[in-house]
Structures are given as structure tokens and as C-alpha cells.
Amino acid sequence: MVKCNHTSLYNDCSPVAQEAGFERPPLEGAVSQTGNRPRNPITEDPWTFPGPLVLPEDELAMDPDDEGQTFKEWLDEEERNKVTTKRKKIYVVLPPTIPEELEEVMKDWHKPILPGRAGDLEKWTSSTPQVSDLIEYLRCFYHGMDVVQYPATFTWKVWDEKPKSKTRSKTTKIGLETPGKSEVWDIRCRPSLDGRARQQVHLGDVADALLRRIPKDAHAVVMLTDYDLYEDEEDDFTVGRAWGGSRVCIVSSFRYNPALDEPAGIDRAHMWPNSHCKTFIDNECSTLEKEPPAKRTKSTIKSYGKPPPTSPLALAVQASKRVPKLTTRDELSSYWFARLAVTVSHELGHCFGFAHCPYYACVMQGVNSVRQDGQVPPYLCPVDAAKLAWELGPLLDCTGSRAEKQSFWIRQQNEALKSFCGRWSHVPQFAGFEAWLGGRLVEK
């Protein structure tokens, strides 16, 4: 990995946005409780909260008509899951265990198929330190919520039922036993279409089993899996999904294995915050076929430049570049954990009723590739931060109006995340996030 030494950054959409027909939704009123434009609107510094990059084949380049979800639209949503005194826990469910009779069959399902030998990093089990680290990160991100490990275990089982069809399908089944009142669910599995996974498990089938074991005091439940996931027969894979109305989400760590970065086209030197590098973005955009000049409207907004050195984005870039190249097994495991933690925080956001965010570069942005989700930031933009602060602010020991509780919660959350990231400064994403948070706290 070659370090990025460029200093000019984008703080708004790339030229691809204009080519695709994407325009950022109006920011005026997006955070307002009434939906109306405030009399004295607060303009966020683009070197703190840049616009979404919109690179080739990004979600917003493929679906440019996303109008966003304003604070008022979220607040008025009748079916959103509100945090209550009886439902304020987030449960983290560990990957299902493998019984002795399946150990030989499933022992390599978590390992990607690659030429040569892929790095054999540690699986996620109850004894691995990443589990407690993830729970701690989520406690900081969803500050005020009680985030705990799910107290029981799901277990893979042999599925003996013979297939009804005589067609030569590669799809088979495995059983998944739920804890408590034991039930065994049939889970479809197959080799991945792209040849990277020995076996994938069907996301919807696993979700059906998980939905039967939601604790009564749970606001949300996230299940982790070591195995690759797929949802439709035509899918290569999916890294996860949330069913916000049902308060559950499932996230796979498989595609975040560092051994898969190169075949996935991931440029580690230009993951967030260095994904804002102008040279990198211009190179990405240069692969597009340019429309004739007569069909293009020249933008009057300059969306790049050299940021003020003390701005949060500049501080994040500087900090991430100071991290040495990741080489050891522990360093790569930490990098793997950082990527998974950001995705889990995103999927849980849907359980709070958040839609994908087209307003800013934001952890709630919609992504359609593992390449893209490494390029979005780990923080919430002002629109989504206002939503979460409204929901969780009352959980903290703070008096005052709801707006004052919002401000108090945002600062407390930023401080908690900064403290966490400070202990992970050997990982570029966390080093950058700590610096960004430090700059943000000075601004506020």
C-alpha cells in the first residue's frame, strides 16, 4: 500500500453526480422539526460535513433520485421503533456455533478462496476480543443505550431432509437451531457465484430463525456471521441487511476479510478519510465516457481545494496518514474489525427508522459494494445525528428542553467515540475518526 501524499480534497460531490443526474436534496429544513426553512439556518462547514462523493457505480450514481428523509419525516413516521423504558437494549448475537458432527464440513466456510494462501485471521467467537470491542463501540455510538451480548447461542445442525427436486442444483440446506424452546430451521446454502466462498447461507432464511427469538426488552438485535451471505439467486453476495420495522439486522464479516481487498478493487490508501483525495477521485472519474460538452452544464460550485489545516476533515486525513502500513496479523484483524463496526452501526441505524442519507457524506449513506462502504465516513451527518439525539437524549442525565438534550447528547456521543478511537489509533479509520471528532468538539 502506497501512502497518499496529495493535499487537495473534495468537500462535495464528484463530477459523476452531475453526469448521473444527482443533486443533493435541499438542506434547509432537513433538520427542522416542522420541515420549514428556519429563519436563521445553520450552515455546516463543508470541511466538517462534506457532501456525498458519488463515485462511479456508487449507490447515488446508480439511483440518483433519492430525496432523503428529513427530520420531520422521520419524526412523523408512525411505524418507527421508539426507544422506551421497556425497550432500550441492543443485543449482539454471536455467530452460530458449529457442533462436532459438522466441524469437518464447515471448518473452512469462513475462509475466502484465493490463489495462494489467504491470511487465516481469527474467527469471531465468544472468546475473541473483537466481540467486547464491538459492544463497546456500539455503546459509544448509540450513547445511552444498553448494548449487551445476546445471552444464548444459535447452533448449526445437520439437515437430513432430502431435496424434493431432482434437478442438479448446487443449493443445499443446513439446519439452524434456535436457543430456548428448540426449533431447527432449514437454511439454504450454496457456493458463491463469484467463487470466493465455499458456501454462502441465505440471508432471509437466517432472519426467519432470528425473528423467533427477539427478547421482549430489545429495541434492536444484530446477528453476526462469519459466513458469506446471499439473498437472491442472482446475487453474488450481500454483506448484511436490516429489517427496521422488525428491529433486526444481520451482518457478515466474510467480505471484509483483508485478503479480499485486492480482488474487490479496494484501495486501502484511499479509504475514508482519504477517499476525499482529489487526485484519487479524478482518477476514478476519468474512466467514464464523457458526454459531448453541449450536453453538459458546467457547475459554478468549486467542490474541492486545500482544507484549512485545523478543519475536522483535514485533521482526519493527517491522522490516518500517520498510521504505519498494516502488516501484522493483529493489525489486519483490527482493520477488519473497524470496517465491520462501521457497517453494524449503519444497519442498526435502520432499526431506529433511518433511511439512507443523500444529504452529506454520512455513515447512513446507501452503498452497493464493499469498495464504496470503505469510502464513507463513520460519523452521522447533522440530519441523522439530530434524529438519534432526539431519540436518545432523554436517556441521559440532562435537564432542559428537548433541543438542549439533543445538543448535550451529541457532545457526549462525540466524546465517548473519541475516547474509544483513541485506544485504536493504530488503525487508520479509527485514527482519522478520533482526529475528526477532536476537531468537531473544538468547533462546538
Side-chain angles (χ1 to χ4, degrees):
M1 179 182 74
V2 178
K3 290 281 185 181
C4 171
N5 294 316
H6 304 112
T7 57
S8 188
L9 307 175
Y10 269 84
N11 64 9
D12 208 336
C13 304
S14 80
V16 169
Q18 189 175 345
E19 300 280 354
F22 170 75
E23 293 184 8
R24 292 172 69 183
L27 300 176
E28 301 85 357
V31 186
S32 168
Q33 295 175 30
T34 63
N36 298 324
R37 187 179 189 276
R39 183 172 299 176
N40 298 305
I42 298 174
T43 303
E44 298 291 351
D45 188 334
W47 295 116
T48 302
F49 292 107
L53 292 176
V54 194
L55 299 184
E57 299 184 1
D58 279 4
E59 178 78 11
L60 289 173
M62 307 299 287
D63 182 17
D65 298 325
D66 190 343
E67 297 180 351
Q69 178 197 51
T70 66
F71 179 89
K72 186 178 187 305
E73 289 170 338
W74 168 81
L75 190 65
D76 292 344
E77 177 56 57
E78 293 182 2
E79 296 183 1
R80 73 177 174 88
N81 296 310
K82 299 179 182 179
V83 175
T84 68
T85 54
K86 293 183 179 180
R87 278 188 180 177
K88 60 176 185 178
K89 281 189 177 181
I90 294 174
Y91 284 93
V92 178
V93 183
L94 297 188
T97 59
I98 302 174
E100 185 176 351
E101 62 268 24
L102 283 173
E103 283 182 353
E104 188 62 28
V105 174
M106 302 181 73
K107 66 178 182 179
D108 290 333
W109 284 19
H110 69 290
K111 298 178 182 178
I113 299 173
L114 292 167
R117 184 181 176 186
D120 186 13
L121 299 179
E122 192 171 14
K123 288 180 64 178
W124 284 57
T125 67
S126 58
S127 61
T128 52
Q130 286 98 328
V131 172
S132 58
D133 293 332
L134 177 63
I135 289 173
E136 184 183 357
Y137 181 81
L138 294 175
R139 284 173 180 162
C140 296
F141 194 94
Y142 292 99
H143 189 57
M145 293 291 283
D146 188 8
V147 184
V148 298
Q149 183 177 317
Y150 190 80
T153 303
F154 287 74
T155 306
W156 297 113
K157 291 289 184 180
V158 174
W159 186 260
D160 291 325
E161 182 181 310
K162 301 297 181 183
K164 296 178 181 179
S165 173
K166 294 184 178 180
T167 59
R168 299 180 63 181
S169 172
K170 292 184 178 180
T171 301
T172 56
K173 288 185 177 181
I174 192 169
L176 181 59
E177 183 180 44
T178 58
K181 184 181 178 181
S182 177
E183 295 179 290
V184 180
W185 291 73
D186 58 313
I187 310 296
R188 284 167 284 178
C189 51
R190 68 171 193 189
S192 68
L193 299 183
D194 65 358
R196 296 299 181 197
R198 290 168 175 83
Q199 290 289 319
Q200 300 173 305
V201 294
H202 191 275
L203 176 64
D205 292 349
V206 176
D208 287 340
L210 178 60
L211 283 165
R212 298 298 293 268
R213 292 295 180 267
I214 306 300
K216 292 181 179 179
D217 61 349
H219 177 268
V221 176
V222 55
M223 173 183 267
L224 307 175
T225 173
D226 295 310
Y227 304 141
D228 205 19
L229 298 170
Y230 76 102
E231 193 165 12
D232 298 317
E233 293 302 321
E234 297 78 19
D235 284 348
D236 279 342
F237 65 89
T238 183
V239 297
R241 180 175 289 278
W243 293 265
S246 300
R247 301 176 289 124
V248 301
C249 51
I250 300 172
V251 178
S252 166
S253 62
F254 184 89
R255 294 284 166 167
Y256 296 127
N257 189 316
L260 286 171
D261 282 1
E262 186 175 346
I266 292 172
D267 179 356
R268 289 186 196 166
H270 290 102
M271 298 177 72
W272 185 88
N274 296 304
S275 52
H276 287 270
C277 167
K278 180 180 182 298
T279 300
F280 165 71
I281 291 173
D282 289 346
N283 287 338
E284 291 289 297
C285 297
S286 68
T287 61
L288 292 179
E289 291 185 12
K290 301 296 183 182
E291 291 186 15
K295 294 185 179 181
R296 300 171 66 199
T297 303
K298 188 174 181 180
S299 174
T300 58
I301 301 174
K302 186 177 180 181
S303 55
Y304 56 83
K306 290 188 177 181
T310 58
S311 65
L313 182 57
L315 292 171
V317 168
Q318 294 161 22
S320 67
K321 288 181 179 180
R322 287 194 291 268
V323 178
K325 180 181 178 180
L326 305 173
T327 55
T328 69
R329 187 172 183 268
D330 287 345
E331 288 169 347
L332 290 169
S333 290
S334 297
Y335 159 78
W336 191 3
F337 160 68
R339 296 202 64 194
L340 187 71
V342 172
T343 297
V344 172
S345 63
H346 168 103
E347 296 299 347
L348 282 170
H350 291 308
C351 295
F352 284 81
F354 302 164
H356 284 151
C357 176
Y359 294 102
Y360 295 91
C362 172
V363 73
M364 289 308 300
Q365 272 184 253
V367 299
N368 59 8
S369 68
V370 289
R371 172 198 58 78
Q372 187 193 354
D373 74 10
Q375 294 169 350
V376 300
Y379 57 75
L380 289 167
C381 75
V383 180
D384 288 315
K387 298 171 189 174
L388 193 57
W390 179 272
E391 195 72 25
L392 302 187
L395 298 179
L396 304 185
D397 185 14
C398 171
T399 58
S401 67
R402 196 67 177 258
E404 288 171 327
K405 290 179 180 179
Q406 278 181 296
S407 297
F408 181 75
W409 182 88
I410 289 173
R411 186 169 191 88
Q412 291 281 300
Q413 187 232 26
N414 285 182
E415 289 175 348
L417 283 169
K418 184 176 183 299
S419 176
F420 177 92
C421 293
R423 299 190 293 276
W424 288 79
S425 57
H426 58 290
V427 182
Q429 299 100 311
F430 285 136
F433 196 15
E434 181 196 14
W436 184 92
L437 290 160
R440 179 63 176 151
L441 286 165
V442 169
E443 286 183 336
K444 295 181 72 67

